[in-house]
Amino acid sequence: GDFDVNPKELVNMLPLQPSDRKRAKEALARDDFVVTLDNVVTEEHCDRLITFAKWAMPSTVTGAASNEVDSVDGAPAHQANLPKAALKELLGSEGYARLLAPASQILGVMPRAVSAFVRKYSTTSRPRLPFHCDGCDASISVNLVDGSEYDGGDLVMLSDNALLTAPRQAGSAAAHSADVAHAVTDLTRGVRWSLVVFAHKRRNWRRQFSVQADGRVVDKRR
């Protein structure tokens, strides 16, 4: 990891639900729950995804795509949702397969269902995302701009007994098991655009989860 912290102490300090803390502790000890790769998405496709997100986000002031809030912290999501068909059209069949490859490596099977969105991080929109676990089987985060264009805004993950940092190059990806506790650190300069993909082993994954009144997603399999 790139941060001088004790990951075991950190995972105990995080404000996670008991079930998620158990997941995060187990994921911390695993060395096969995170995969990072460069050049997963081409520069042209990064530009296409950002162009789509800017078009889909009507507010040029806040960058908010809608009144949607993030289930993690209840703050405005600042994202443009991307249906699977649109994602495949933007990336092409080869690009789409390349995108899902790291999730397949973690899951051991090709995902049967995916949901995706492009998110904007900036000092005037969403500057951070607190630690949490995801309500899917595996997640993929792709940096759509180079890390030199912003300060902070790192995707960090608790796994392999360390606090790991995702690569910052444009087109690079970090895939992780949904059990891995992860966060985005405070962005202090510039704008970071990222593509986030939630991968599911089963097509009927929605039956396995329920959304609580407070917005939390509960995994009914556990």
Side-chain angles (χ1 to χ4, degrees):
D2 299 339
F3 290 83
D4 185 20
V5 297
N6 182 318
K8 290 182 179 178
E9 289 181 4
L10 178 58
V11 80
N12 281 321
M13 291 167 55
L14 297 177
L16 299 173
Q17 296 291 325
S19 59
D20 281 350
R21 190 182 311 282
K22 183 174 184 291
R23 294 168 64 194
K25 284 183 174 181
E26 292 172 357
L28 177 59
R30 296 288 295 261
D31 64 1
D32 58 347
F33 269 16
V34 173
V35 175
T36 59
L37 291 171
D38 293 333
N39 302 313
V40 171
V41 175
T42 66
E43 183 178 349
E44 179 190 354
H45 288 147
C46 286
D47 290 343
R48 279 191 201 174
L49 288 161
I50 293 171
T51 299
F52 162 80
K54 287 179 177 178
W55 169 81
M57 291 182 179
S59 171
T60 56
V61 177
T62 65
S66 65
N67 294 325
E68 186 175 0
V69 297
D70 193 283
S71 60
V72 174
D73 59 5
H78 295 284
Q79 68 188 42
N81 295 323
L82 195 59
K84 178 180 175 180
L87 182 62
K88 289 179 96 168
E89 184 177 345
L90 278 167
L91 297 180
S93 56
E94 287 184 14
Y96 183 76
R98 192 165 60 244
L99 172 67
L100 295 187
S104 304
Q105 188 174 332
I106 291 168
L107 298 176
V109 294
M110 193 66 153
R112 299 290 300 279
V114 302
S115 51
F117 56 87
V118 176
R119 172 160 281 179
K120 178 185 181 181
Y121 288 94
S122 73
T123 56
T124 56
S125 59
R126 166 178 283 280
R128 70 185 71 85
L129 188 65
F131 272 102
H132 63 285
C133 300
D134 286 334
C136 55
D137 291 311
S139 303
I140 310 162
S141 179
V142 181
N143 231 25
L144 300 180
V145 295
D146 193 73
S148 61
E149 296 188 21
Y150 59 91
D151 294 331
D154 281 306
L155 170 62
V156 292
M157 303 159 286
L158 280 164
S159 193
D160 200 9
N161 290 306
L163 183 62
L164 308 174
T165 306
R168 290 169 62 96
Q169 299 94 329
S172 62
H176 57 83
S177 162
D179 293 341
V180 171
H182 57 287
V184 175
T185 64
D186 278 29
L187 186 143
T188 58
R189 178 191 68 86
V191 177
R192 176 187 176 226
W193 293 93
S194 64
L195 169 67
V196 178
V197 180
F198 294 146
H200 307 270
K201 291 182 184 178
R202 302 171 185 83
R203 289 190 191 279
N204 65 342
W205 64 272
R206 287 179 179 82
R207 299 177 192 169
Q208 301 165 16
F209 301 94
S210 63
V211 180
Q212 304 301 293
D214 62 1
R216 285 187 303 114
V217 178
V218 175
D219 188 341
K220 294 187 287 190
R221 298 170 300 175
R222 299 179 187 277

